[in-house]
Amino acid sequence: MAASSDLPNPDHVLLLAQELNLKVHQVAATAQLLQGGATVPFISRYRKEVTGELDEVQVTAIRDRMEQLQQLDDRRTTILASLTERNLLTDELKAKIGAADTLTQLEDIYLPFRPKKRTRATIAKEKGLEALAELIWAQHPAADIATAAAALVGHEYTLDDGKNTVGKIASAEEAFAGARDILAERMSDDAGVREKLRVMFREKAVVSSKVMFGKETDGAKFKDYFDWSEPLAKAPSHRILAMRRGENESILIMRVTISDEAAGSGLVEMHFAKNSSAAAAQVRLAAQDAFKRLLAPAMETEMRLESKKRADEAAIKVFAENLRELLLSAPLGRKAVLAIDPGFRTGCKVVLLDRQGKLLHNDVVFPDRSTLEAKEKLKGFVEFFKVEAIAIGNGTAGRETESFVRGLGLPASIPIVMVNESGASIYSASEVAREEFPEHDLTVRGAVSIGRRLMDPLAELVKLDPKSIGVGQYQHDVDPSALKRALDDRVVSCVNGVGVEVNTASKQLLSYVSGLNSATAAAIVARRDEQGPFKSRTELLDVPRLGPKAFEQAAGFLRIRDAAHPLDSSAVHPERYALVEKMAADLGASVADLMRDESLRRKIQLEKYVTADAGLPTLKDILAELAKPGRDPRQKFETFSFQEGVNKPEDLKPGMKLPGIVTNVTAFGAFVDIGVHQDGLVHVSQLADSFVKEPAEVVKPQQKVMVTVVEVDLPRNRIALSMRSNPQLGPKSTPQNSGVRANGPRTGGSGHGGRPNGPAPLPKSTQSLNADWFSAALNKKK
């Protein structure tokens, strides 16, 4: 069914409604808004009546699935054009292609007709063996295939191999072998048998990895996968990605097979063999060859791609959720900040920022060499610039610098905060930083970023590529386009959820606002610099290249503090100003009165203001916004301090209970910063006293936690932590089988990874744990 250019495809709408368990009109309305240029945040926030109150997740799912279906249709069109051009399209084939609802089904149907390179089947056909192949394929009990093959002996042929090679059929067996090659390719191209094998592989495939000969030393970090095997269907994303990384680095050989190859071969035989005739015997031989030479490798490729896609999706989901928590970290707010980028050898770079984050002054102090001078400088800066908070980067010498600053005797009202500086060095060398601070070096820019992260993490982190922030899991191994899409979606969601102050936001922050892009964001900043602060939202319409559509999408997410119209500082969309003004007028009050006086708001009877395009969902949102206009949804900032006297891994002892901050959450556990320049790992089994399936259900990035040190492995820079009430300490926490020496503790050792062919493999739980430790080592904070 063809779709109008301005309307969603009806077939797609019906399919999505079924897949997503939504009503048809919800999907249709959302799809139409998306096709009309509306953004996900705008639709979910300001078009609730149209979509039936779909949230961002549901709107995004419709958008993504619609795009997939369009790609499927595009591929369908290409295939039909190819078949038509080659005069291969029949009504039956056209119907099958039209009915295919997945790309896999579509490609299976097209496979027999896809232009192929020269194959063994191609050569057999050039030898004139296709008639014999057809005779065998028919499997008629009375067919004398031996005589037919013998008759071909001595038959001359010319191969179309670019050399016009001439030859003769030397024997009946050569004729049979060629005929079987033709049949094997036909079997391999059969959509039905491929689907049956696909199901078998999905249920029974095993993924395994082995170390390449002579790579044991070079690939020591992959030790847990030198002889690893597990069911593919149960293999978690991080282990799949770890094995693939080892393969890409030429350390491991990774395979996806089924343990019972005879079952796979037998499935193909049963699918094609019809009886017990001589011809059927040849068909069975062809089936065995088809499975081993063509179908099994094809299924392995498919399973590798499928498992990679699943692993990518899981890893991207973890990354996106972590990023969201980090972006929505509690902001300190508008405070005068002294920020320090620590460094004893080269000195600590100090910058002073005003309440808007503007750089006022920078200097260098040397606490270890010029202690008295450093103290006097810092105390003088605090007093002169009326510093309200101090931010210290958590990199090398961060804890020592913190101790030094805390010893200055500053007023207790000035919080001293360690700030995660992941990615600050990347920002300092970026074009964004060079444009903002062209006259300052990298160290100044990095210190400014540390200070601004304390003031407003979201506003500062959007200047970075999300992949450099350090909260991902195998972000360099997953599909880059899918990762970028997911992370961009998450940044857009966070930015629009919080709202953006037009007159202070950077162009990087503005570019993530619904309806805006880098060009319109730059135009807003240019207009602001030339003509001064915006006084109302309507002035945005004067910005070059920011038209009515972009204004519609963006206006509700932009804030103008102290604007002439009080609603300009709220999340109420300008299209609803008249409605709010009517509410106020009906009460004999002003809009400002409504926003100040709760008793007035209680008198509003929302049902009186319901219209065709503004129902109760929108009216309730408006009323909630009037109560707390422009309210920041992020949590209130709370100060945090690491344990004094614990500054480096050597200070740690098993059994210590320490405060920490979660820096990253993965599928196998959480990394926690305990102030020693090396994050510790709380394995998923150590996150709680009860069973934890998904670490994200228990912990989030930036969450403050109490942990117990379980083990410290200084040579390998591994710190094992626990959040259980009564953790077991040290190497004895590893379950062991008699006669098997575990290479490390349950929470810290590498283990041998559960060798399937070894004399006494480790218990399943330990196998999994050791591999998880390997994944932790690959992903640990540098």
Side-chain angles (χ1 to χ4, degrees), residues 189-387:
D189 287 349
D190 187 275
V193 80
R194 291 179 80 90
E195 184 56 33
K196 287 182 179 180
L197 279 175
R198 199 171 283 126
V199 171
M200 176 181 283
F201 268 74
R202 284 171 181 158
E203 293 176 351
K204 300 181 179 181
V206 172
V207 59
S208 60
S209 61
K210 292 184 181 295
V211 64
M212 294 182 69
F213 180 75
K215 294 285 187 175
E216 290 83 358
T217 301
D218 293 344
K221 64 182 179 179
F222 294 97
K223 182 178 180 180
D224 291 312
Y225 291 93
F226 281 3
D227 195 353
W228 180 265
S229 178
E230 66 181 310
L232 181 65
K234 296 181 179 180
S237 63
H238 55 278
R239 292 212 285 269
I240 292 292
L241 293 173
M243 282 183 267
R244 292 184 67 97
R245 182 186 289 186
E247 185 178 51
N248 290 336
E249 294 183 16
S250 300
I251 301 297
L252 302 175
I253 299 172
M254 175 182 170
R255 292 295 311 276
V256 176
T257 58
I258 52 174
S259 55
D260 187 0
E261 292 191 359
S265 179
L267 184 151
V268 181
E269 291 181 41
M270 290 178 61
H271 190 83
F272 293 108
K274 298 178 181 179
N275 49 48
S276 57
S277 64
Q282 291 292 323
V283 168
R284 288 186 175 87
L285 290 174
Q288 294 167 16
D289 176 51
F291 175 78
K292 184 175 181 179
R293 181 169 58 87
L294 301 173
L295 286 165
M299 289 300 109
E300 178 174 15
T301 299
E302 281 196 27
M303 294 304 107
R304 285 172 61 97
L305 291 174
E306 281 190 12
S307 62
K308 173 64 162 57
K309 184 178 179 180
R310 287 196 306 272
D312 282 2
E313 290 172 351
I316 289 171
K317 181 181 178 182
V318 168
F319 197 159
E321 289 301 319
N322 287 346
L323 178 63
R324 178 182 182 83
E325 296 298 327
L326 189 61
L327 292 175
L328 295 181
S329 298
L332 175 67
R334 292 172 177 266
K335 303 283 186 182
V337 171
L338 182 153
I340 303 177
D341 188 357
F344 275 9
R345 185 177 59 82
T346 58
C348 295
K349 178 61 67 174
V350 180
V351 298
L352 283 303
L353 308 176
D354 69 11
R355 290 186 167 190
Q356 283 70 46
K358 181 181 178 181
L359 176 62
L360 301 177
H361 180 70
N362 74 88
D363 205 335
V364 179
V365 298
F366 296 88
D368 61 332
R369 280 185 274 164
S370 305
T371 304
L372 183 60
E373 180 185 355
K375 285 183 177 180
E376 292 303 316
K377 270 191 176 183
L378 291 177
K379 291 168 73 172
F381 290 152
V382 169
E383 183 177 353
F384 182 81
F385 290 99
K386 295 180 172 55
V387 169

Side-chain angles (χ1 to χ4, degrees), residues 406-449:
R406 290 190 184 279
L408 296 177
L410 299 175
S413 60
I414 300 177
I416 300 170
V417 184
M418 296 292 292
V419 177
N420 189 334
E421 61 179 49
S422 294
S425 60
I426 295 176
Y427 162 77
S428 63
S430 68
E431 182 61 35
V432 173
R434 287 195 295 272
E435 181 181 334
E436 192 170 7
F437 301 106
E439 298 178 358
H440 295 286
D441 63 19
L442 301 179
T443 59
V444 173
R445 299 169 190 164
V448 170
S449 180

